Amino acid sequence: MSKESTYIPKSGFSKWFDQRLPLPRMLHDNINAFPTPRNLNYWYTFGGILTFCLVTQIVTGIVLAMHYTADAGLAFASVEHIMRNVNYGWLIRYIHAVGASMFFLAVYVHIFRGLYYGSYKAPREILWILGVVIYLLMVITAFMGYVLPWGQMSFWGATVITNLFSVIPVVGTTITEWLWGGFAVDNATLKRFFSLHYLMPFMIFGVVILHIWSLHVTGNNNPVGVSVKEKQDTVPFAPYYTVKDAFSLVCFLILFAWFIFFNPNILGHTDNYIMADPLVTPAHIVPEWYLLPFYAILRAIPSKLGGVLVMGAAIAILFILPWLDTSKVRSATFRPLYKQFYWIFVVNCIALGYLGSQNPEGLFLVASRICTAYYFIHFLLVLPILGLVEKPKPIPESITKAVLEKMEIRNLKEKSAEA
Amino acid sequence: MSDKDPKQPSRRDFIFLATGAFAAVGAASIAWPIVDQMNPDATALALSKIEVDISQLERGQAITVKWRGKPVFIRRRTEEEIQMASRVDIASLPDNNARNYNLSSDSSASDENRSLDENGEWLVMVGVCTHLGCVPKGQSLGDSKGDFGGWYCPCHGSHYDTAGRIRKGPAAKNLDIPAAEFINQNVIRIG
């Protein structure tokens, strides 16, 4: 990637400013002029969508915190107060609650796009690892946020998840009591979760900046997976990708708005409109949809410690993914076998999500065990072996060649259709 | 100690190490209060004893009371339930420790070691599944009591028998028995 700055200060003031703090120069070089592969498709617009989601959550969250009360006796009522009395409170809360789901929807598309096009491979390992860190922080933030309304699912979700730490040998109980600030999930727990839930989005924001920084050092991957070689392989980010990202964002917002205005509670659980009761466990405890695959893995393992370890490993394995995939070819477009295993893996993850919502009994339990095993087989056996045995299709010489070839084929087809 | 011999540690090295050590101790002494403030506070630790009137309980009935933020199951067992629990071979249990705070920590999980009184009529346990902390079903008459007639945790499918011992499912330990004693015929003190 070219590192030469193309910023030219236009006025006397901007020249004066540039010599003291070259912030406009940094923004110009990284946003306006940033050279981006010319062949990015719509799957590459989710980075922008995710940035939008993060900002949305922070803005609505700050506003909600003005009306919410973090106290076990008052929290539930304060959420109802937001819904009924605060001007537009219903809208802001629904944006925040639906926004969490949309955030995860976008991040899953973003992650699976990376898996398909091999965006985790050299030289983008750090970029990928930072992405996994962001995802992990998102999971923790979402979990803590879900506790704040202090409904039945909030309370029992918090109880089940914090109890995961009790499996740590010797110090497990000490750690869970430290997390709770008592002998069970209670007022102290709610207050600290609120404090940390407010903090973590800003930590995510920090890691996002590192993620983008790393992206701008290595440059974007692209659908053919061939590195940028010459200037004509790229176009400036503005206006080409600002417009593409904006169009994609508008489509995403249509779905977002549909949830907010027509079905705001479909992604939640009705039990969370019952106030937390430490003496009654709901018949069926489930996490939010975006964590169901991990819940299925947790329950697939018959031992308590084993379940927690394997669930942790399911995320941890993503950190070492760049070194598990032995193939040098990035894009699945040119990997006929990987392409098939990729889709099997996608189906397997969706199946785990479904199984996480069911009772772990009979066939469901057997199926979750098979799917859990396959999840790890994909990373530990399929990916290392495929790279050694697979014969990739011929790879285009450059991004430009690949684009022109595609255009030629399209032109020929149009001509033959006319004739 | 000569300052000029490069192989010998110099006074500057000493000052450097001493400064680093002081900074580390200083940082730790500030870090600890920030960590420790999250531990259970004085109100959580203070007076965590309750007294429960059990005079209204018939055999086969149970009540749930709240102690330290957790449910405690008090059950007056029927003769049949006691028989079921005492017939079990202790060696065959997943957890053969009594988990009874009132006894020494290596007591076996026999039914006598689990119940509060000599007849084995009264069972007092913390009603928190030892798997991931849900409240098991089995206190109310209509509840599913699991495969062993005691309690059943709906969250992840752990079955407890009529002495609150884990028999099947992901939980690894028997339900905990808290410090408890009869103050008189009608009142149990927990804690």
Side-chain angles (χ1 to χ4, degrees):
Chain A
M1 309 306 299
S2 81
K3 293 289 182 293
E4 289 284 293
S5 177
T6 57
Y7 178 68
I8 300 158
K10 283 190 186 102
S11 67
F13 173 75
S14 53
K15 206 168 181 181
W16 179 87
F17 198 92
D18 186 52
Q19 283 162 352
R20 283 156 183 81
L21 178 70
L23 182 69
R25 176 183 297 276
M26 194 266 279
L27 294 177
H28 170 87
D29 291 341
N30 280 294
I31 296 173
N32 281 10
F34 185 68
T36 315
R38 59 192 283 177
N39 61 340
L40 299 189
N41 56 30
Y42 276 104
W43 300 113
Y44 281 80
T45 60
F46 280 81
I49 289 173
L50 283 161
T51 313
F52 174 86
C53 288
L54 179 60
V55 173
T56 304
Q57 291 304 92
I58 289 178
V59 171
T60 51
I62 288 172
V63 173
L64 286 171
M66 296 177 186
H67 305 281
Y68 170 79
T69 312
D71 180 283
L74 304 170
F76 188 81
S78 79
V79 171
E80 283 312 301
H81 162 71
I82 289 170
M83 294 301 289
R84 293 159 195 236
N85 306 329
V86 175
N87 301 332
Y88 289 106
W90 60 272
L91 177 66
I92 295 160
R93 175 167 174 260
Y94 278 153
I95 292 175
H96 197 73
V98 171
S101 278
M102 299 308 287
F103 204 161
F104 274 95
L105 176 68
V107 88
Y108 284 131
V109 173
H110 195 62
I111 291 171
F112 277 99
R113 189 269 292 148
L115 291 175
Y116 188 84
Y117 293 121
S119 302
Y120 48 86
K121 293 185 189 184
R124 296 185 182 81
E125 301 95 325
I126 297 292
L127 176 59
W128 169 263
I129 288 170
L130 288 170
V132 181
V133 170
I134 293 170
Y135 173 67
L136 201 57
L137 291 174
M138 278 174 64
V139 169
I140 300 168
T141 311
F143 160 68
M144 289 181 171
Y146 195 58
V147 176
L148 303 185
W150 210 239
Q152 275 288 67
M153 277 297 158
S154 300
F155 183 90
W156 290 101
T159 298
V160 168
I161 300 301
T162 49
N163 261 301
L164 295 180
F165 292 91
S166 69
V167 300
I168 302 168
V170 189
V171 293
T173 315
T174 315
I175 288 179
T176 37
E177 286 177 1
W178 176 73
L179 284 171
W180 292 333
F183 302 100
V185 173
D186 211 334
N187 192 37
T189 324
L190 175 63
K191 280 179 175 320
R192 65 192 54 183
F193 277 19
F194 176 62
S195 172
L196 296 173
H197 181 71
Y198 205 122
L199 164 73
M200 299 211 31
F202 299 97
M203 293 171 66
I204 294 177
F205 201 88
V207 186
V208 166
I209 288 173
L210 296 182
H211 190 64
I212 294 173
W213 184 6
S214 169
L215 170 72
H216 284 209
V217 170
T218 61
N220 288 77
N221 185 29
N222 63 81
V224 290
V226 181
S227 297
V228 169
K229 285 175 184 141
E230 46 197 358
K231 198 162 181 296
Q232 58 181 359
D233 286 346
T234 66
V235 289
F237 191 80
Y240 294 95
Y241 286 112
T242 43
V243 168
K244 190 161 185 155
D245 278 1
F247 178 70
S248 184
L249 178 62
V250 168
C251 296
F252 184 79
L253 285 178
I254 292 173
L255 180 67
F256 200 148
W258 181 79
F259 276 119
I260 294 169
F261 294 109
F262 293 94
N263 232 331
N265 286 310
I266 194 172
L267 298 168
H269 201 293
T270 46
D271 275 6
N272 224 28
Y273 283 99
I274 303 169
M275 194 174 152
D277 182 352
L279 298 186
V280 181
T281 307
H284 195 54
I285 298 184
V286 281
E288 293 273 85
W289 69 267
Y290 41 81
L291 299 178
L292 287 172
F294 297 107
Y295 198 52
I297 292 174
L298 170 71
R299 300 189 299 177
I301 310 295
S303 112
K304 183 173 159 183
L305 180 59
V308 175
L309 289 178
V310 172
M311 185 177 69
I315 292 185
I317 204 163
L318 295 172
F319 283 103
I320 54 165
L321 169 64
W323 296 276
L324 291 174
D325 189 340
T326 50
S327 172
K328 291 270 179 283
V329 179
R330 292 199 191 104
S331 174
T333 313
F334 306 107
R335 298 185 62 190
L337 287 177
Y338 173 69
K339 201 188 231 174
Q340 293 171 32
F341 281 106
Y342 170 85
W343 288 111
I344 295 173
F345 180 71
V346 172
V347 171
N348 190 63
C349 286
I350 294 170
L352 276 172
Y354 171 73
L355 293 165
S357 71
Q358 300 299 316
N359 264 331
E361 283 167 349
L363 272 180
F364 290 124
L365 186 59
V366 177
S368 8
R369 285 182 181 159
I370 294 170
C371 291
T372 301
Y374 187 76
Y375 181 92
F376 288 97
I377 288 171
H378 177 82
F379 287 111
L380 295 174
L381 286 177
V382 174
L383 287 185
I385 294 173
L386 266 193
L388 304 175
V389 300
E390 184 180 45
K391 191 174 179 295
K393 286 190 203 161
I395 291 160
E397 269 171 57
S398 73
I399 293 173
T400 307
K401 277 244 166 87
V403 172
L404 293 181
E405 241 168 56
K406 221 176 171 181
M407 281 170 67
E408 258 168 43
I409 293 170
R410 198 189 302 154
N411 285 345
L412 280 176
K413 269 188 192 157
E414 272 169 22
K415 266 184 198 154
S416 62
E418 275 168 31
Chain B
M1 189 160 81
S2 159
D3 280 359
K4 288 183 182 154
D5 184 351
K7 282 180 190 158
Q8 287 291 318
S10 67
R11 285 158 70 162
R12 181 159 293 184
D13 288 335
F14 172 77
I15 291 171
F16 181 74
L17 282 175
T19 311
F22 262 83
V25 170
S29 66
I30 289 302
W32 177 243
I34 292 172
V35 171
D36 191 44
Q37 54 81 25
M38 280 175 67
N39 273 318
D41 62 20
T43 54
L45 295 171
L47 195 72
S48 40
K49 284 183 196 300
I50 54 167
E51 287 176 8
V52 186
D53 179 0
I54 41 110
S55 57
Q56 303 299 315
L57 239 64
E58 300 289 332
R59 296 198 84 168
Q61 288 185 331
I63 53 169
T64 306
V65 294
K66 200 169 153 189
W67 173 70
R68 283 183 159 186
K70 298 183 215 184
V72 169
F73 293 167
I74 300 176
R75 184 169 190 86
R76 189 174 181 187
R77 299 187 294 174
T78 61
E79 200 53 48
E80 190 192 354
E81 284 167 342
I82 301 171
Q83 289 300 321
M84 268 172 75
S86 43
R87 250 187 271 126
V88 179
D89 174 20
I90 296 163
S92 73
L93 292 169
D95 177 14
N96 40 39
N97 188 300
R99 305 282 167 202
N100 188 337
Y101 187 85
N102 305 296
L103 303 175
S104 67
S105 61
D106 55 353
S107 310
S108 80
S110 67
D111 192 53
E112 299 85 70
N113 283 348
R114 298 276 305 166
S115 53
L116 188 61
D117 59 327
E118 284 186 359
N119 301 334
E121 229 176 89
W122 294 93
L123 194 61
V124 177
M125 314 180 294
V126 175
V128 171
C129 180
T130 57
H131 180 225
L132 293 174
C134 296
V135 179
K137 297 271 168 199
Q139 286 291 88
S140 306
L141 285 174
D143 282 356
S144 156
K145 292 178 189 298
D147 294 356
F148 299 88
W151 288 265
Y152 169 71
C153 184
C155 291
H156 307 95
S158 291
H159 299 251
Y160 295 91
D161 69 10
T162 53
R165 296 172 297 200
I166 181 67
R167 299 295 287 274
K168 190 176 142 189
K173 289 194 235 164
N174 302 328
L175 292 176
D176 276 323
I177 294 179
E181 60 176 338
F182 277 98
I183 302 181
N184 58 47
Q185 261 190 315
N186 295 330
V187 178
I188 295 176
R189 180 197 284 150
I190 300 167

